[in-house]
Short mmCIF file of all heavy atoms in Angstrom, two decimals:
data_model
loop_
_atom_site.label_atom_id
_atom_site.label_comp_id
_atom_site.label_asym_id
_atom_site.label_seq_id
_atom_site.Cartn_x
_atom_site.Cartn_y
_atom_site.Cartn_z
N VAL B 354 25.32 -13.84 2.12
CA VAL B 354 25.65 -12.73 1.30
C VAL B 354 26.48 -13.32 0.08
O VAL B 354 27.46 -14.06 0.36
CB VAL B 354 26.43 -11.71 2.00
CG1 VAL B 354 26.86 -10.61 1.06
CG2 VAL B 354 25.50 -11.11 3.09
N ASN B 355 26.12 -13.01 -1.05
CA ASN B 355 26.88 -13.32 -2.25
C ASN B 355 27.58 -12.08 -2.79
O ASN B 355 26.81 -11.22 -3.17
CB ASN B 355 26.05 -14.01 -3.28
CG ASN B 355 26.82 -14.53 -4.53
OD1 ASN B 355 27.89 -14.42 -4.52
ND2 ASN B 355 25.99 -15.04 -5.46
N LEU B 356 28.82 -12.01 -2.71
CA LEU B 356 29.52 -10.85 -3.09
C LEU B 356 30.10 -11.05 -4.51
O LEU B 356 30.92 -12.08 -4.71
CB LEU B 356 30.70 -10.41 -2.19
CG LEU B 356 31.49 -9.31 -2.61
CD1 LEU B 356 30.78 -8.10 -2.68
CD2 LEU B 356 32.74 -9.18 -1.65
N VAL B 357 29.76 -10.32 -5.48
CA VAL B 357 30.35 -10.47 -6.83
C VAL B 357 31.24 -9.28 -7.08
O VAL B 357 30.64 -8.17 -7.04
CB VAL B 357 29.22 -10.65 -7.92
CG1 VAL B 357 29.89 -10.68 -9.29
CG2 VAL B 357 28.32 -11.84 -7.54
N ALA B 358 32.44 -9.42 -7.27
CA ALA B 358 33.25 -8.32 -7.67
C ALA B 358 33.60 -8.38 -9.11
O ALA B 358 34.04 -9.35 -9.56
CB ALA B 358 34.54 -8.28 -6.80
N MET B 359 33.28 -7.30 -9.80
CA MET B 359 33.61 -7.38 -11.25
C MET B 359 34.68 -6.41 -11.48
O MET B 359 34.51 -5.17 -11.24
CB MET B 359 32.28 -6.88 -11.99
CG MET B 359 31.29 -8.00 -12.06
SD MET B 359 30.13 -7.77 -13.33
CE MET B 359 29.13 -6.51 -12.75
N SER B 360 35.72 -6.93 -12.07
CA SER B 360 36.81 -5.96 -12.50
C SER B 360 36.52 -5.83 -14.00
O SER B 360 36.33 -6.86 -14.68
CB SER B 360 38.15 -6.55 -12.18
OG SER B 360 38.23 -7.93 -12.42
N LEU B 361 36.61 -4.68 -14.54
CA LEU B 361 36.41 -4.32 -15.85
C LEU B 361 37.58 -4.81 -16.67
O LEU B 361 38.75 -4.57 -16.32
CB LEU B 361 36.23 -2.91 -16.03
CG LEU B 361 35.20 -2.32 -15.12
CD1 LEU B 361 35.08 -0.85 -15.19
CD2 LEU B 361 33.79 -2.78 -15.44
N THR B 362 37.28 -5.47 -17.77
CA THR B 362 38.46 -5.88 -18.61
C THR B 362 38.45 -5.07 -19.88
O THR B 362 37.52 -4.36 -20.12
CB THR B 362 38.26 -7.41 -19.02
OG1 THR B 362 36.98 -7.50 -19.73
CG2 THR B 362 38.17 -8.37 -17.80
N SER B 363 39.43 -5.29 -20.63
CA SER B 363 39.75 -4.41 -21.70
C SER B 363 38.84 -4.84 -22.86
O SER B 363 38.48 -3.92 -23.60
CB SER B 363 41.24 -4.46 -22.15
OG SER B 363 41.65 -5.83 -22.06
N GLN B 364 38.61 -6.06 -23.05
CA GLN B 364 37.89 -6.49 -24.26
C GLN B 364 36.40 -6.04 -24.07
O GLN B 364 35.80 -6.26 -23.12
CB GLN B 364 37.88 -8.06 -24.45
CG GLN B 364 39.11 -8.46 -25.21
CD GLN B 364 39.97 -9.15 -24.25
OE1 GLN B 364 39.81 -9.21 -23.05
NE2 GLN B 364 41.02 -9.98 -24.84
N ALA B 365 36.02 -5.40 -25.10
CA ALA B 365 34.68 -4.97 -25.09
C ALA B 365 33.58 -6.11 -25.09
O ALA B 365 33.87 -7.11 -25.91
CB ALA B 365 34.33 -4.10 -26.33
N GLY B 366 32.67 -6.11 -24.28
CA GLY B 366 31.60 -7.14 -24.27
C GLY B 366 32.03 -8.39 -23.57
O GLY B 366 31.27 -9.31 -23.34
N ASN B 367 33.28 -8.49 -23.09
CA ASN B 367 33.72 -9.68 -22.27
C ASN B 367 33.75 -9.31 -20.87
O ASN B 367 34.64 -8.63 -20.42
CB ASN B 367 35.12 -10.14 -22.84
CG ASN B 367 35.36 -11.49 -22.13
OD1 ASN B 367 34.52 -12.17 -21.59
ND2 ASN B 367 36.76 -11.98 -22.21
N GLU B 368 32.79 -9.89 -20.11
CA GLU B 368 32.82 -9.55 -18.69
C GLU B 368 33.36 -10.68 -17.87
O GLU B 368 32.88 -11.68 -17.98
CB GLU B 368 31.32 -9.30 -18.23
CG GLU B 368 30.96 -7.94 -18.18
CD GLU B 368 29.44 -7.77 -17.80
OE1 GLU B 368 29.02 -8.76 -17.17
OE2 GLU B 368 28.91 -6.85 -18.12
N VAL B 369 34.46 -10.35 -17.20
CA VAL B 369 35.05 -11.35 -16.26
C VAL B 369 34.80 -10.97 -14.91
O VAL B 369 34.98 -9.83 -14.57
CB VAL B 369 36.55 -11.48 -16.67
CG1 VAL B 369 37.21 -12.43 -15.63
CG2 VAL B 369 36.80 -11.99 -18.03
N SER B 370 34.27 -11.84 -14.19
CA SER B 370 34.03 -11.44 -12.75
C SER B 370 34.50 -12.59 -11.84
O SER B 370 34.59 -13.73 -12.23
CB SER B 370 32.54 -11.28 -12.58
OG SER B 370 31.84 -12.48 -12.72
N ARG B 371 34.67 -12.19 -10.65
CA ARG B 371 35.19 -13.10 -9.56
C ARG B 371 34.29 -12.93 -8.48
O ARG B 371 34.10 -11.63 -7.96
CB ARG B 371 36.58 -12.74 -9.24
CG ARG B 371 37.26 -13.54 -8.23
CD ARG B 371 38.70 -13.15 -7.92
NE ARG B 371 39.21 -13.76 -6.80
CZ ARG B 371 40.52 -13.78 -6.56
NH1 ARG B 371 41.41 -13.17 -7.26
NH2 ARG B 371 40.86 -14.44 -5.52
N SER B 372 33.67 -13.97 -8.03
CA SER B 372 32.71 -13.78 -6.87
C SER B 372 32.89 -14.85 -5.86
O SER B 372 33.64 -15.80 -6.03
CB SER B 372 31.21 -14.07 -7.46
OG SER B 372 31.13 -15.44 -7.78
N LYS B 373 32.39 -14.53 -4.73
CA LYS B 373 32.49 -15.28 -3.63
C LYS B 373 31.26 -15.31 -2.82
O LYS B 373 30.66 -14.33 -2.59
CB LYS B 373 33.59 -14.78 -2.72
CG LYS B 373 34.03 -15.69 -1.59
CD LYS B 373 35.31 -15.40 -0.85
CE LYS B 373 35.56 -16.34 0.29
NZ LYS B 373 36.49 -17.41 -0.09
N GLU B 374 30.79 -16.48 -2.57
CA GLU B 374 29.61 -16.66 -1.69
C GLU B 374 30.00 -16.90 -0.28
O GLU B 374 30.74 -17.88 0.01
CB GLU B 374 28.72 -17.83 -2.21
CG GLU B 374 27.89 -17.64 -3.42
CD GLU B 374 26.64 -18.30 -3.46
OE1 GLU B 374 26.14 -18.65 -2.35
OE2 GLU B 374 26.14 -18.60 -4.55
N LEU B 375 29.48 -16.04 0.63
CA LEU B 375 29.87 -16.31 1.95
C LEU B 375 28.70 -15.98 2.83
O LEU B 375 27.92 -15.08 2.65
CB LEU B 375 31.08 -15.48 2.21
CG LEU B 375 31.06 -13.98 1.87
CD1 LEU B 375 30.95 -13.07 3.01
CD2 LEU B 375 32.26 -13.81 1.07
N ARG B 376 28.87 -16.69 4.04
CA ARG B 376 27.82 -16.40 5.09
C ARG B 376 28.43 -15.43 5.98
O ARG B 376 29.51 -15.63 6.53
CB ARG B 376 27.50 -17.66 5.84
CG ARG B 376 26.01 -17.95 5.98
CD ARG B 376 25.83 -19.02 6.97
NE ARG B 376 24.90 -18.42 7.94
CZ ARG B 376 23.78 -17.89 7.84
NH1 ARG B 376 23.16 -17.84 6.63
NH2 ARG B 376 23.07 -17.44 8.90
N VAL B 377 27.81 -14.22 6.06
CA VAL B 377 28.42 -13.04 6.84
C VAL B 377 27.83 -13.01 8.14
O VAL B 377 26.55 -12.75 8.28
CB VAL B 377 28.22 -11.85 5.98
CG1 VAL B 377 28.87 -10.72 6.73
CG2 VAL B 377 28.90 -11.99 4.67
N SER B 378 28.67 -13.24 9.15
CA SER B 378 28.11 -13.10 10.59
C SER B 378 28.81 -11.93 11.36
O SER B 378 28.50 -11.63 12.40
CB SER B 378 28.10 -14.30 11.27
OG SER B 378 29.34 -14.82 11.22
N GLY B 379 29.91 -11.50 10.86
CA GLY B 379 30.71 -10.49 11.43
C GLY B 379 31.66 -9.78 10.52
O GLY B 379 31.64 -10.18 9.32
N ASP B 380 32.42 -8.98 10.91
CA ASP B 380 33.29 -8.20 10.01
C ASP B 380 34.29 -9.32 9.31
O ASP B 380 34.79 -10.18 9.97
CB ASP B 380 34.28 -7.31 10.75
CG ASP B 380 33.47 -6.11 11.12
OD1 ASP B 380 32.31 -5.98 10.81
OD2 ASP B 380 34.03 -5.24 11.87
#
Side-chain angles (χ1 to χ4, degrees):
Chain B
V354 173
N355 185 4
L356 173 66
V357 177
M359 286 203 283
S360 42
L361 310 170
T362 59
S363 44
Q364 276 110 347
N367 187 18
E368 264 179 20
V369 173
S370 65
R371 178 174 173 168
S372 73
K373 192 168 174 90
E374 279 213 26
L375 43 115
R376 228 193 121 61
V377 176
S378 52
D380 288 357

